[in-house]
Amino acid sequence: DGSGGTAIALVLAARIAPGFFLATAAGVIVDRLDRKRVMLFCDVGRALVFFALPFVDSLLGLILASFVLEILTMLWSPAKEAVVPNIVPKEKLTTANSLNVAAAYGMFPVAAGIAALLAKLSEGFADEGWVNTWQFNEEGLAFYVNGLSFLATAAIIGRIHWARRTREERLGTERGSWDLGGAFRELREGWEFIAVNPIVRAVNIGLATGVIGGGMLVPLGAIFVDEVIAGEGADFNLILFALGTGMAVGVLTASVLQTRINRTRVFPLALVVAGAGLLVAGSASILSIVVPMIAVVGFAAGPIYVLGFTLLHENVDDELRGRIFASLLVLVRFCVLIALAIAPILSEL
């Protein structure tokens, strides 16, 4: 009470902070363990956290839940990315990563619809003791459904079969044991690979700088529409629609043309196109120019993600993938924070 903004900031900080200090270490853990078991453990763990959240009634409890969720997510994400090339044929990796983008962003309207249905459902419950005891209000139902979604994911992953590494392969003598020195050596090995391999290095730098530029749309987009764009119908939702539509078309195009495009050439080209489109849109003040240019940005941004992840899947050995993707996720997270922090300052200047 009385400090809602601070409370929200603390909960979000608990969700973000672990990534900076523990994500690369999570990559080492993922490379040493059975990745399928890691994903199953993380999904069940996240489900349990969401089932418990309706009964959390303190800020400390929310911070702890947020922290645990982030730790589990940090383990799950690189484990998932590391097993994709073991499941998907090399020639289909671009399609798989396109579906990954579609699954990530395409579920937003679905989730909004489910939230509306849950709100209506909660209104239908009578104000009885068992309803209050089990927290069958709007928020409680949302948490329960979220927890069930993670259990469904665990059930799907449990039914997928792929060639998994033996314990000897995961803990080979040349890679050391679970001692701290061995872990640091593996951590250094991952960072050295990123620095030495030109394709992996370029993908990391490209995605990081792209996220800084694209991330500035979040704090500045609505202000830009209100203060800069002239004309009737200027609405930030129209900008978001153009961006999303462009991304959808770009991802679909990359998937359809996956066998005909040179990924190492198209990836940097897409970065240049996205940057140029954003530069033109930011320099214009007319809606009829800004909206098409933002659609161009989206058209290039979709393939940037898809082709970037595909290049990493193709050019990183299985034993290194967990560390490489964990490092990338840390870098992207850091660049998002940079964008959110410096964009308002730059706009004021």
Side-chain angles (χ1 to χ4, degrees):
D1 291 337
S3 58
T6 302
I8 292 172
L10 286 172
V11 173
L12 291 178
R15 189 69 194 262
I16 294 172
F20 294 113
F21 305 104
L22 302 174
T24 48
V28 174
I29 295 171
V30 166
D31 281 339
R32 288 185 169 214
L33 296 176
D34 185 309
R35 290 164 183 156
K36 185 172 186 176
R37 292 180 180 177
V38 169
M39 286 190 285
L40 291 173
F41 172 81
C42 292
D43 278 326
V44 173
R46 289 187 288 186
L48 292 176
V49 171
F50 276 109
F51 289 149
L53 269 173
F55 306 98
V56 174
D57 58 359
S58 68
L59 179 61
L60 181 61
L62 287 177
I63 291 173
L64 180 61
S66 192
F67 182 83
V68 172
L69 284 172
E70 183 60 15
I71 294 292
L72 295 173
T73 300
M74 281 192 313
L75 290 168
W76 192 92
S77 295
K80 188 267 286 187
E81 296 298 344
V83 303
V84 167
N86 298 334
I87 302 172
V88 181
K90 186 175 181 179
E91 65 273 11
K92 296 293 184 182
L93 280 173
T94 302
T95 299
N97 286 314
S98 299
L99 290 171
N100 194 30
V101 174
Y105 294 98
M107 292 307 292
F108 274 75
V110 177
I114 293 175
L117 289 175
L118 293 176
K120 288 291 184 182
L121 182 62
S122 65
E123 294 175 2
F125 287 130
D127 189 14
E128 299 179 5
W130 66 272
V131 173
N132 296 326
T133 300
W134 294 104
Q135 300 295 319
F136 282 139
N137 51 30
E138 181 179 348
E139 293 81 8
L141 288 174
F143 284 135
Y144 292 142
V145 171
N146 212 351
L148 289 173
S149 74
F150 282 112
L151 290 183
T153 305
I156 293 170
I157 291 172
R159 294 175 62 86
I160 300 175
H161 300 285
W162 67 85
R164 291 152 70 184
R165 298 171 300 163
T166 64
R167 178 179 174 82
E168 289 71 24
E169 289 173 328
R170 298 196 310 270
L171 296 172
T173 54
E174 76 280 0
R175 301 182 58 210
S177 60
W178 279 100
D179 65 282
L180 190 60
F184 276 117
R185 283 193 298 273
E186 292 183 35
L187 198 59
R188 187 177 67 246
E189 181 185 359
W191 283 104
E192 287 176 350
F193 184 81
I194 294 173
V196 171
N197 188 292
I199 293 179
V200 175
R201 182 176 66 243
V203 169
N204 275 267
I205 294 174
L207 286 173
T209 53
V211 163
I212 292 177
M216 290 188 180
L217 286 170
V218 177
L220 298 183
I223 300 173
F224 179 81
V225 171
D226 292 337
E227 298 184 3
V228 177
I229 297 180
E232 295 291 331
D235 188 343
F236 186 51
N237 288 325
L238 183 60
I239 303 296
L240 291 178
F241 176 79
L243 183 68
T245 303
M247 284 190 69
V249 175
V251 167
L252 182 62
T253 302
S255 179
V256 171
L257 300 178
Q258 59 179 310
T259 59
R260 303 178 185 178
I261 58 177
N262 185 324
R263 285 183 275 276
T264 56
R265 292 185 179 181
V266 174
F267 175 77
L269 177 62
L271 281 166
V272 173
V273 171
L278 199 54
L279 184 63
V280 173
S283 304
S285 59
I286 303 173
L287 192 65
S288 59
I289 296 177
V290 173
V291 171
M293 284 297 100
I294 291 296
V296 170
V297 173
F299 179 79
I304 287 171
Y305 177 94
V306 170
L307 298 178
F309 271 61
T310 302
L311 286 168
L312 291 183
H313 286 143
E314 292 176 340
N315 291 277
V316 179
D317 292 335
D318 185 59
E319 66 174 17
L320 279 170
R321 281 192 205 118
R323 280 164 280 173
I324 300 303
F325 278 103
S327 300
L328 174 63
L329 294 173
V330 173
L331 189 60
V332 167
R333 183 185 300 261
F334 180 65
C335 290
V336 168
L337 284 182
I338 289 177
L340 296 178
I342 69 173
I345 298 173
L346 290 175
S347 69
E348 290 298 321
L349 293 174

